[in-house]
Amino acid sequence: KAGVTQTPRYLIKTRGQQVTLSCSPISGHRSVSWYQQTPGQGLQFLFEYFSETQRNKGNFPGRFSGRQFSNSRSEMNVSTLELGDSALYLCASSLGRRQFYTEAFFGQGTRLTVV
Amino acid sequence: QKEVEQNSGPLSVPEGAIASLNCTYSDRVSQSFFWYRQYSGKSPELIMSIYSNGDKEDGRFTAQLNKASQYVSLLIRDSQPSDSATYLCAVNGLRGGGNKLTFGTGTQLKVEL
């Protein structure tokens, strides 16, 4: 059974540019969550998508956005990149059943460096 | 007050010993609790989940939950050098379903030969 796949694994971007990251969840999983991990702030929740709808949102500026497709694959976009956006971006996949708190499995992450 | 607190460590234990990792959380209505292991340069790997008070055992790992004290712990028996990693405690406090994990800063575990 394939795990969570994130692409690309590494990215280098310039301040002011925008970037799109992709996540393919485990087959059958309908929930995709995105997290940012930095040495200073640790792991922080960005947002969660379930059935193509944003179900939960963290405390990040509007420059961070996402979407989910009908096949549950998800993309995350960051516009007008800042140096502080340099981080490991992690996608987590779960079954996402509404009434139960299901386990979340992480992809390998995308390491974004903003220069 | 941080929502999920862990001692950052490092916690050093000899090979074969029991490693005890602790976590406290502030949101009393939190429903589900997880332990992740993260090796340096890698992504977090889920090792345990626990939803009700008491102990849950899986191989060398035991998770303990005490909702009254808002406390979660992870015991690793017969610690091995391969257990050396950062252990992240995560809490899902959502009431209506969905996944929004709040993580502690992690405890670094070092298992020494």
Coordinates of all heavy atoms in Angstrom, one line a residue, chain B residues 21-70:
Chain B
L21 N 8.6 9.2 28.4 CA 8.4 10.5 27.8 C 7.0 11.0 28.2 O 6.0 10.3 28.2 CB 8.4 10.3 26.2 CG 9.7 9.7 25.7 CD1 9.5 9.2 24.3 CD2 10.9 10.6 25.8
N22 N 7.0 12.3 28.5 CA 5.8 12.8 29.1 C 5.3 14.0 28.3 O 6.0 14.7 27.6 CB 6.0 13.3 30.5 CG 6.6 12.2 31.4 OD1 6.1 11.0 31.3 ND2 7.6 12.4 32.1
C23 N 4.0 14.3 28.4 CA 3.3 15.3 27.7 C 2.1 15.8 28.5 O 1.4 15.0 29.0 CB 2.9 14.8 26.3 SG 1.9 15.8 25.3
T24 N 1.9 17.1 28.6 CA 0.7 17.7 29.2 C 0.0 18.5 28.1 O 0.7 19.1 27.3 CB 1.0 18.5 30.4 OG1 1.9 19.5 30.1 CG2 1.6 17.6 31.5
Y25 N -1.3 18.6 28.2 CA -2.0 19.5 27.3 C -3.0 20.3 28.1 O -3.5 20.0 29.2 CB -2.8 18.6 26.3 CG -3.7 17.6 26.9 CD1 -5.1 17.9 27.0 CD2 -3.3 16.3 27.3 CE1 -6.0 17.0 27.5 CE2 -4.2 15.4 27.9 CZ -5.6 15.8 28.0 OH -6.4 14.9 28.5
S26 N -3.4 21.4 27.4 CA -4.2 22.4 28.2 C -5.7 22.3 27.9 O -6.5 22.7 28.7 CB -3.7 23.8 27.9 OG -3.8 24.1 26.5
D27 N -6.1 21.9 26.7 CA -7.5 21.8 26.3 C -8.2 20.6 26.9 O -7.9 19.5 26.4 CB -7.7 21.9 24.8 CG -9.1 22.1 24.4 OD1 -10.0 21.9 25.2 OD2 -9.3 22.4 23.2
R28 N -9.0 20.8 27.9 CA -9.6 19.7 28.7 C -10.5 18.8 27.8 O -10.7 17.7 28.1 CB -10.4 20.2 29.9 CG -10.9 19.2 30.8 CD -11.4 19.8 32.1 NE -10.4 20.3 32.9 CZ -9.7 19.5 33.7 NH1 -9.9 18.2 33.8 NH2 -8.7 20.0 34.5
V29 N -11.0 19.4 26.7 CA -12.0 18.6 25.9 C -11.3 17.8 24.8 O -11.9 17.2 23.9 CB -13.1 19.5 25.3 CG1 -13.9 20.2 26.4 CG2 -12.5 20.5 24.4
S30 N -10.0 17.8 24.8 CA -9.2 17.1 23.7 C -9.6 15.6 23.8 O -9.9 15.0 24.9 CB -7.7 17.2 24.0 OG -7.3 18.5 23.8
Q31 N -9.8 15.0 22.6 CA -10.3 13.7 22.5 C -9.3 12.6 22.1 O -9.5 11.4 22.4 CB -11.5 13.7 21.5 CG -12.7 14.5 22.0 CD -13.3 14.0 23.2 OE1 -13.4 12.8 23.4 NE2 -13.8 14.8 24.1
S32 N -8.3 13.0 21.3 CA -7.4 12.0 20.7 C -6.0 12.4 20.8 O -5.7 13.6 20.7 CB -7.8 11.6 19.3 OG -7.9 12.8 18.5
F33 N -5.1 11.5 21.0 CA -3.7 11.8 21.4 C -2.8 10.8 20.6 O -3.1 9.6 20.5 CB -3.5 11.6 22.9 CG -4.6 12.4 23.7 CD1 -5.8 11.8 24.0 CD2 -4.3 13.6 24.1 CE1 -6.8 12.5 24.7 CE2 -5.2 14.4 24.8 CZ -6.5 13.8 25.1
F34 N -1.7 11.4 20.2 CA -0.8 10.6 19.3 C 0.6 10.8 19.7 O 1.0 11.9 20.2 CB -1.0 11.0 17.9 CG -2.4 11.0 17.4 CD1 -3.3 12.1 17.5 CD2 -3.0 9.8 16.9 CE1 -4.6 12.0 17.1 CE2 -4.3 9.7 16.5 CZ -5.1 10.8 16.6
W35 N 1.4 9.8 19.5 CA 2.9 9.9 19.6 C 3.5 9.7 18.2 O 3.2 8.7 17.6 CB 3.5 9.0 20.6 CG 3.2 9.4 22.0 CD1 2.2 8.9 22.9 CD2 4.0 10.3 22.8 NE1 2.3 9.6 24.1 CE2 3.4 10.4 24.1 CE3 5.1 11.1 22.5 CZ2 3.9 11.2 25.1 CZ3 5.6 11.9 23.5 CH2 5.0 12.0 24.8
Y36 N 4.4 10.6 17.8 CA 5.1 10.5 16.6 C 6.6 10.4 16.9 O 7.1 11.1 17.8 CB 4.8 11.7 15.6 CG 3.5 11.7 15.0 CD1 2.4 12.2 15.7 CD2 3.3 11.2 13.7 CE1 1.1 12.2 15.1 CE2 2.0 11.2 13.1 CZ 0.9 11.7 13.8 OH -0.3 11.7 13.2
R37 N 7.3 9.7 16.1 CA 8.7 9.6 16.1 C 9.3 10.3 14.9 O 8.8 10.1 13.8 CB 9.2 8.2 16.2 CG 10.7 8.0 16.2 CD 11.1 6.5 16.4 NE 10.6 5.7 15.3 CZ 10.4 4.4 15.3 NH1 10.8 3.7 16.4 NH2 10.0 3.7 14.2
Q38 N 10.3 11.2 15.1 CA 10.9 11.9 14.0 C 12.4 11.8 14.1 O 13.0 12.3 15.0 CB 10.5 13.4 13.9 CG 10.9 14.1 12.7 CD 10.3 15.5 12.6 OE1 10.0 16.1 13.6 NE2 10.2 16.0 11.3
Y39 N 13.0 11.1 13.1 CA 14.4 11.1 13.0 C 14.9 12.3 12.3 O 14.2 13.0 11.5 CB 14.9 9.8 12.1 CG 14.6 8.5 12.8 CD1 13.6 7.6 12.3 CD2 15.3 8.1 13.9 CE1 13.4 6.4 12.9 CE2 15.1 6.9 14.5 CZ 14.1 6.1 14.0 OH 13.9 4.8 14.6
S40 N 16.1 12.7 12.6 CA 16.7 13.9 12.0 C 16.6 13.9 10.5 O 17.0 13.0 9.8 CB 18.1 14.1 12.5 OG 18.7 15.3 12.0
G41 N 16.0 15.0 9.9 CA 15.9 15.1 8.5 C 14.8 14.3 7.9 O 14.6 14.3 6.6
K42 N 14.0 13.7 8.7 CA 12.9 12.9 8.2 C 11.5 13.4 8.6 O 11.5 14.4 9.4 CB 13.0 11.4 8.7 CG 14.3 10.7 8.3 CD 14.4 10.5 6.8 CE 15.6 9.7 6.4 NZ 15.7 9.6 4.9
S43 N 10.5 12.9 8.1 CA 9.1 13.3 8.5 C 8.6 12.5 9.7 O 9.2 11.5 10.0 CB 8.2 13.2 7.4 OG 8.0 11.8 7.0
P44 N 7.6 13.0 10.5 CA 7.1 12.3 11.6 C 6.5 11.0 11.2 O 5.8 10.9 10.2 CB 6.1 13.3 12.2 CG 6.5 14.6 11.7 CD 7.0 14.4 10.3
E45 N 6.7 10.0 12.1 CA 6.1 8.7 11.9 C 5.2 8.3 13.0 O 5.7 8.4 14.2 CB 7.3 7.7 11.8 CG 6.8 6.2 11.7 CD 8.0 5.3 11.9 OE1 9.1 5.7 12.2 OE2 7.8 4.0 11.7
L46 N 4.0 8.0 12.8 CA 3.0 7.7 13.8 C 3.4 6.3 14.5 O 3.6 5.3 13.8 CB 1.6 7.6 13.3 CG 0.5 7.2 14.3 CD1 0.3 8.3 15.3 CD2 -0.8 6.9 13.5
I47 N 3.6 6.4 15.8 CA 3.9 5.1 16.5 C 2.8 4.7 17.5 O 2.6 3.5 17.8 CB 5.2 5.2 17.3 CG1 5.3 6.4 18.2 CG2 6.4 5.2 16.3 CD1 6.5 6.4 19.1
M48 N 2.0 5.6 18.0 CA 0.9 5.2 18.9 C -0.2 6.2 18.9 O 0.0 7.4 18.7 CB 1.4 5.2 20.4 CG 2.3 4.0 20.7 SD 1.5 2.4 20.7 CE 0.6 2.5 22.3
S49 N -1.4 5.7 19.0 CA -2.6 6.6 19.2 C -3.3 6.1 20.4 O -3.3 4.9 20.7 CB -3.5 6.5 18.0 OG -4.0 5.2 17.8
I50 N -4.0 7.0 21.2 CA -4.7 6.6 22.3 C -5.9 7.6 22.5 O -5.8 8.8 22.3 CB -3.8 6.6 23.6 CG1 -4.6 6.0 24.8 CG2 -3.2 7.9 23.9 CD1 -3.7 5.5 26.0
Y51 N -7.1 7.0 22.8 CA -8.3 7.8 22.9 C -9.0 7.8 24.2 O -9.8 8.6 24.5 CB -9.3 7.3 21.8 CG -8.7 7.3 20.4 CD1 -8.2 6.2 19.8 CD2 -8.6 8.5 19.7 CE1 -7.7 6.2 18.5 CE2 -8.1 8.5 18.4 CZ -7.6 7.4 17.8 OH -7.1 7.4 16.6
S52 N -8.7 6.8 25.0 CA -9.4 6.6 26.3 C -8.4 6.5 27.4 O -7.3 6.1 27.2 CB -10.4 5.5 26.3 OG -9.7 4.3 25.9
N53 N -8.9 6.8 28.6 CA -8.0 6.7 29.8 C -7.4 5.3 30.0 O -8.1 4.3 29.7 CB -8.8 7.1 31.1 CG -8.9 8.6 31.2 OD1 -8.1 9.4 30.8 ND2 -10.1 9.0 31.8
G54 N -6.2 5.2 30.5 CA -5.6 4.0 30.7 C -4.3 3.8 29.9 O -3.7 4.7 29.4
D55 N -4.0 2.5 29.7 CA -2.8 2.1 29.0 C -3.1 1.5 27.7 O -4.1 0.7 27.6 CB -1.9 1.2 29.8 CG -1.4 1.8 31.1 OD1 -1.7 3.0 31.3 OD2 -0.7 1.1 31.8
K56 N -2.3 1.7 26.7 CA -2.4 1.0 25.4 C -1.0 0.5 25.0 O -0.1 1.3 25.0 CB -3.0 1.9 24.3 CG -3.1 1.2 23.0 CD -3.6 2.2 21.9 CE -3.7 1.6 20.6 NZ -4.1 2.5 19.5
E57 N -0.9 -0.8 24.8 CA 0.4 -1.4 24.5 C 0.5 -1.8 23.1 O -0.4 -2.4 22.5 CB 0.7 -2.6 25.5 CG 2.0 -3.2 25.4 CD 2.3 -4.3 26.4 OE1 1.8 -4.1 27.6 OE2 2.9 -5.3 26.1
D58 N 1.7 -1.6 22.5 CA 1.9 -2.1 21.1 C 3.4 -2.4 21.1 O 4.3 -1.5 20.9 CB 1.6 -1.0 20.1 CG 1.7 -1.5 18.7 OD1 2.1 -2.7 18.5 OD2 1.5 -0.8 17.7
G59 N 3.7 -3.7 21.2 CA 5.1 -4.1 21.2 C 5.9 -3.6 22.3 O 5.5 -3.7 23.5
R60 N 7.0 -2.9 22.0 CA 7.8 -2.3 23.1 C 7.2 -0.9 23.6 O 7.8 -0.4 24.5 CB 9.2 -2.1 22.6 CG 9.9 -3.4 22.3 CD 11.4 -3.2 22.0 NE 11.6 -2.3 20.8 CZ 12.1 -1.1 20.8 NH1 12.5 -0.5 22.0 NH2 12.3 -0.4 19.7
F61 N 6.2 -0.5 23.0 CA 5.6 0.9 23.3 C 4.4 0.7 24.1 O 3.5 -0.1 23.8 CB 5.3 1.6 22.0 CG 6.5 1.9 21.1 CD1 6.8 1.1 20.1 CD2 7.4 3.0 21.4 CE1 7.9 1.3 19.3 CE2 8.5 3.2 20.6 CZ 8.8 2.4 19.5
T62 N 4.2 1.6 25.1 CA 3.0 1.7 25.9 C 2.7 3.2 26.0 O 3.5 4.0 26.5 CB 3.1 1.1 27.3 OG1 3.5 -0.3 27.2 CG2 1.8 1.3 28.1
A63 N 1.5 3.5 25.6 CA 1.0 4.9 25.8 C 0.0 4.9 27.0 O -0.7 4.0 27.2 CB 0.2 5.4 24.5
Q64 N 0.1 6.0 27.8 CA -0.8 6.1 28.9 C -1.5 7.4 28.9 O -0.8 8.5 28.5 CB 0.1 6.0 30.2 CG 0.8 4.7 30.4 CD 1.8 4.7 31.6 OE1 2.5 5.7 31.8 NE2 1.8 3.6 32.3
L65 N -2.8 7.4 29.2 CA -3.6 8.6 29.1 C -4.3 8.8 30.4 O -5.0 7.9 30.9 CB -4.6 8.6 27.9 CG -5.6 9.7 27.8 CD1 -4.9 11.1 27.6 CD2 -6.5 9.5 26.7
N66 N -4.2 10.0 30.9 CA -5.0 10.4 32.1 C -5.7 11.8 31.8 O -5.0 12.8 31.9 CB -4.1 10.5 33.3 CG -4.8 10.8 34.6 OD1 -5.8 11.6 34.6 ND2 -4.4 10.3 35.7
K67 N -6.9 11.7 31.4 CA -7.6 12.9 31.0 C -7.9 13.9 32.2 O -7.9 15.1 32.0 CB -8.9 12.6 30.3 CG -8.7 12.0 28.9 CD -10.1 11.8 28.2 CE -9.9 11.2 26.8 NZ -11.2 11.1 26.1
A68 N -8.1 13.3 33.4 CA -8.3 14.2 34.5 C -7.1 15.0 34.8 O -7.2 16.2 35.2 CB -8.6 13.3 35.8
S69 N -5.9 14.5 34.6 CA -4.7 15.2 34.9 C -4.1 15.9 33.6 O -3.1 16.6 33.6 CB -3.6 14.3 35.4 OG -4.0 13.7 36.7
Q70 N -4.8 15.6 32.5 CA -4.4 16.2 31.2 C -3.0 15.8 30.9 O -2.1 16.7 30.6 CB -4.6 17.7 31.2 CG -6.1 18.0 31.3 CD -6.4 19.5 31.4 OE1 -7.0 20.0 32.4 NE2 -6.0 20.2 30.4

